[in-house]
Amino acid sequence: METAVKTNWNIDNTHSEVGFKVKHMMISTVKGHFEDYQALVETSDDSFSDASFSFSAKIDSINTKNGDRDNHLKSNDFFNAIEYPEMTFKSKSFDGENLVGDLTIRDVTKEVTLEVDFNGVAVDPYGQTKAGFEIRGKINRKDFNLTWSAVTEAGSIVVADTVNLVIDAQFIKEA
């Protein structure tokens, strides 16, 4: 019996971003990202047809370009970074377009489906083989106990429930 050899692909943090967008007061969009994260893809060939993805991000590394907002997001109103310092994702299946897996935020794990554009494989000027992906998805923040809410005097919701995930990922093939 022949055992398939798996190849690991590690995230290239220099050429990747793990971001999100959410409506603010229903009239504008606030963007943010995580600065400290790790991701790994395991696959048997460069087609990524059997790829297995895993990901983790340090909640304390959230950055929305506003210190007060970042501190609020790290508080118990949202992520509670002290008690739940990481969010994680572990894939269950990938068909080349849809990535299904378990996303854990705070104390809640939910299955999510993310849309994936696999942009291919290329060798960089330094001889490293790299693979690129654009990953998009939507979650309801309240499903993960991110329940803080407020309403303006005019009746607008301050933070929308839907969070758009925007992940641009480049992976480096292990030698």
Side-chain angles (χ1 to χ4, degrees), residues 18-54:
V18 177
F20 58 89
K21 300 188 305 187
V22 64
K23 288 284 186 195
H24 180 254
M25 296 182 28
M26 310 318 287
I27 60 168
S28 63
T29 301
V30 172
K31 297 178 184 179
H33 65 274
F34 293 91
E35 294 184 356
D36 187 358
Y37 57 89
Q38 294 298 318
L40 176 72
V41 178
E42 186 180 74
T43 187
S44 60
D45 62 40
D46 290 358
S47 75
F48 288 82
S49 60
D50 65 345
S52 173
F53 292 75
S54 60

Coordinates of all heavy atoms in Angstrom, one line a residue, residues 18-54:
V18 N -5.3 39.2 6.5 CA -6.5 38.6 7.0 C -7.4 39.7 7.5 O -7.1 40.3 8.6 CB -6.2 37.6 8.2 CG1 -7.5 37.0 8.8 CG2 -5.3 36.5 7.7
G19 N -8.4 40.1 6.7 CA -9.1 41.3 7.0 C -10.6 41.0 7.1 O -11.1 39.9 6.9
F20 N -11.3 42.0 7.5 CA -12.8 42.0 7.6 C -13.3 43.4 7.4 O -12.6 44.4 7.5 CB -13.2 41.5 9.0 CG -12.7 42.3 10.2 CD1 -13.4 43.4 10.6 CD2 -11.5 42.1 10.7 CE1 -12.9 44.2 11.7 CE2 -10.9 42.8 11.8 CZ -11.7 43.9 12.2
K21 N -14.6 43.4 7.0 CA -15.3 44.7 6.8 C -16.7 44.5 7.5 O -17.3 43.5 7.4 CB -15.5 45.0 5.3 CG -14.3 45.1 4.6 CD -14.4 45.5 3.1 CE -15.4 44.8 2.3 NZ -15.4 45.2 0.9
V22 N -17.1 45.7 8.1 CA -18.5 45.7 8.8 C -19.1 47.0 8.6 O -18.4 48.0 8.7 CB -18.4 45.2 10.2 CG1 -17.5 46.2 11.1 CG2 -19.7 45.0 10.8
K23 N -20.4 47.1 8.4 CA -21.1 48.4 8.3 C -21.1 49.1 9.6 O -21.3 48.5 10.7 CB -22.5 48.2 7.8 CG -22.6 47.8 6.4 CD -22.4 49.0 5.5 CE -22.6 48.6 4.0 NZ -22.1 49.6 3.1
H24 N -20.9 50.4 9.6 CA -20.9 51.2 10.8 C -22.0 52.2 10.6 O -22.1 53.0 9.6 CB -19.6 52.0 11.0 CG -19.6 52.9 12.1 ND1 -19.6 54.2 12.0 CD2 -19.5 52.6 13.5 CE1 -19.6 54.8 13.2 NE2 -19.5 53.8 14.1
M25 N -23.0 52.2 11.5 CA -24.2 53.1 11.4 C -24.9 52.9 10.1 O -25.7 53.8 9.7 CB -23.8 54.6 11.7 CG -23.2 54.8 13.1 SD -22.8 56.4 13.6 CE -23.8 57.5 12.6
M26 N -24.7 51.8 9.5 CA -25.4 51.5 8.2 C -25.1 52.4 7.1 O -25.8 52.4 6.0 CB -26.9 51.3 8.5 CG -27.2 50.4 9.7 SD -26.2 48.9 9.8 CE -26.9 47.9 8.5
I27 N -24.2 53.3 7.2 CA -23.9 54.3 6.2 C -22.4 54.2 5.7 O -22.1 54.8 4.6 CB -24.2 55.7 6.6 CG1 -23.3 56.1 7.8 CG2 -25.7 55.9 6.9 CD1 -23.3 57.6 8.1
S28 N -21.6 53.5 6.4 CA -20.2 53.4 6.0 C -19.6 52.1 6.4 O -20.3 51.3 7.1 CB -19.3 54.5 6.6 OG -19.3 54.4 8.0
T29 N -18.5 51.7 5.9 CA -17.8 50.4 6.2 C -16.5 50.7 6.9 O -15.7 51.5 6.5 CB -17.6 49.7 4.8 OG1 -18.9 49.5 4.2 CG2 -17.0 48.3 5.1
V30 N -16.3 49.9 8.0 CA -15.1 49.9 8.7 C -14.3 48.7 8.3 O -14.9 47.6 8.3 CB -15.3 50.0 10.2 CG1 -14.0 49.8 11.0 CG2 -16.0 51.3 10.6
K31 N -13.0 48.8 8.0 CA -12.2 47.7 7.7 C -11.2 47.5 8.8 O -10.8 48.4 9.5 CB -11.4 48.0 6.4 CG -12.3 48.1 5.2 CD -11.5 48.5 4.0 CE -12.3 48.7 2.8 NZ -11.6 49.1 1.6
G32 N -10.8 46.2 9.0 CA -9.8 45.9 10.0 C -9.1 44.6 9.5 O -9.5 44.0 8.5
H33 N -8.0 44.3 10.3 CA -7.3 43.1 10.0 C -6.6 42.6 11.2 O -6.5 43.3 12.2 CB -6.3 43.3 8.8 CG -5.2 44.3 9.2 ND1 -5.3 45.6 9.0 CD2 -4.0 44.1 9.7 CE1 -4.2 46.2 9.4 NE2 -3.4 45.3 9.8
F34 N -6.1 41.4 11.2 CA -5.3 40.8 12.2 C -3.8 40.8 11.8 O -3.5 40.4 10.7 CB -5.7 39.4 12.6 CG -7.1 39.4 13.2 CD1 -8.2 39.2 12.4 CD2 -7.3 39.5 14.5 CE1 -9.5 39.2 12.9 CE2 -8.6 39.5 15.1 CZ -9.7 39.4 14.3
E35 N -2.9 41.3 12.7 CA -1.5 41.4 12.3 C -0.7 40.2 12.7 O 0.3 39.9 12.1 CB -0.9 42.7 12.9 CG -1.5 43.9 12.4 CD -0.9 45.2 12.9 OE1 -0.1 45.1 13.8 OE2 -1.3 46.3 12.4
D36 N -1.2 39.4 13.6 CA -0.5 38.2 14.1 C -1.3 37.0 13.8 O -2.3 36.7 14.5 CB -0.1 38.4 15.6 CG 0.8 37.3 16.1 OD1 1.1 36.3 15.4 OD2 1.1 37.3 17.3
Y37 N -0.9 36.2 12.8 CA -1.7 35.0 12.4 C -0.8 34.0 11.8 O 0.3 34.3 11.4 CB -2.8 35.4 11.5 CG -2.3 36.1 10.2 CD1 -2.0 35.3 9.1 CD2 -2.2 37.5 10.2 CE1 -1.5 36.0 8.0 CE2 -1.8 38.1 9.0 CZ -1.4 37.3 7.9 OH -0.9 38.0 6.8
Q38 N -1.2 32.8 11.8 CA -0.5 31.7 11.2 C -1.5 30.9 10.4 O -2.7 30.8 10.7 CB 0.1 30.7 12.3 CG 1.2 31.4 13.1 CD 2.4 31.8 12.2 OE1 2.8 31.1 11.3 NE2 2.9 33.0 12.4
A39 N -1.1 30.3 9.3 CA -1.9 29.4 8.5 C -1.1 28.4 7.8 O 0.1 28.7 7.5 CB -2.7 30.3 7.4
L40 N -1.6 27.3 7.6 CA -0.9 26.2 6.9 C -1.9 25.5 6.0 O -3.1 25.3 6.3 CB -0.5 25.2 8.0 CG 0.2 23.9 7.5 CD1 1.6 24.2 7.0 CD2 0.3 22.9 8.7
V41 N -1.4 25.1 4.8 CA -2.2 24.2 3.9 C -1.4 23.0 3.7 O -0.2 23.0 3.5 CB -2.4 24.9 2.6 CG1 -3.2 24.0 1.6 CG2 -3.2 26.2 2.7
E42 N -2.1 21.8 3.8 CA -1.5 20.5 3.5 C -2.1 19.9 2.3 O -3.4 19.9 2.2 CB -1.6 19.6 4.8 CG -0.9 18.3 4.6 CD -1.1 17.5 5.9 OE1 -2.2 16.9 6.0 OE2 -0.2 17.4 6.7
T43 N -1.3 19.5 1.4 CA -1.9 19.0 0.1 C -1.0 17.9 -0.5 O 0.2 17.9 -0.2 CB -2.2 20.1 -0.9 OG1 -2.9 19.6 -2.0 CG2 -0.9 20.8 -1.3
S44 N -1.5 17.1 -1.4 CA -0.6 16.1 -2.0 C -0.1 16.5 -3.3 O 0.8 15.9 -3.9 CB -1.4 14.8 -2.1 OG -2.5 14.9 -2.9
D45 N -0.6 17.6 -3.9 CA 0.0 18.1 -5.2 C -0.4 19.6 -5.3 O -1.1 20.2 -4.6 CB -0.5 17.3 -6.4 CG -2.0 17.3 -6.6 OD1 -2.6 18.4 -6.4 OD2 -2.6 16.3 -6.9
D46 N 0.1 20.2 -6.4 CA 0.0 21.6 -6.6 C -1.4 22.0 -7.1 O -1.7 23.2 -7.3 CB 1.1 22.2 -7.6 CG 2.4 22.2 -6.9 OD1 2.6 21.8 -5.8 OD2 3.4 22.5 -7.6
S47 N -2.3 21.0 -7.3 CA -3.7 21.4 -7.7 C -4.5 21.8 -6.5 O -5.6 22.4 -6.7 CB -4.3 20.2 -8.4 OG -4.7 19.2 -7.4
F48 N -4.1 21.5 -5.4 CA -4.8 21.8 -4.1 C -6.2 21.2 -4.0 O -7.0 21.5 -3.2 CB -4.9 23.3 -3.9 CG -3.6 23.9 -3.5 CD1 -2.6 24.2 -4.5 CD2 -3.2 24.2 -2.2 CE1 -1.4 24.8 -4.1 CE2 -2.0 24.7 -1.8 CZ -1.1 25.0 -2.8
S49 N -6.4 20.1 -4.8 CA -7.7 19.5 -4.9 C -8.1 18.8 -3.6 O -9.2 18.6 -3.3 CB -7.8 18.5 -6.0 OG -6.8 17.5 -5.9
D50 N -7.1 18.4 -2.8 CA -7.3 17.7 -1.5 C -6.8 18.5 -0.4 O -6.5 18.0 0.7 CB -6.7 16.3 -1.5 CG -5.2 16.4 -1.6 OD1 -4.6 17.5 -1.9 OD2 -4.5 15.4 -1.3
A51 N -6.7 19.9 -0.6 CA -6.1 20.7 0.4 C -6.8 20.7 1.8 O -8.0 20.7 1.8 CB -6.0 22.2 -0.1
S52 N -6.0 20.8 2.8 CA -6.5 20.9 4.2 C -6.0 22.2 4.7 O -4.7 22.4 4.7 CB -6.1 19.7 5.0 OG -6.4 19.9 6.4
F53 N -6.8 23.1 5.2 CA -6.4 24.5 5.6 C -6.6 24.5 7.2 O -7.6 24.1 7.7 CB -7.3 25.5 5.0 CG -7.1 25.7 3.6 CD1 -7.7 24.8 2.6 CD2 -6.4 26.8 3.1 CE1 -7.5 25.0 1.3 CE2 -6.3 27.1 1.7 CZ -6.8 26.1 0.8
S54 N -5.6 25.2 7.8 CA -5.8 25.5 9.2 C -5.2 26.9 9.4 O -4.3 27.4 8.7 CB -5.0 24.5 10.1 OG -3.6 24.5 9.8

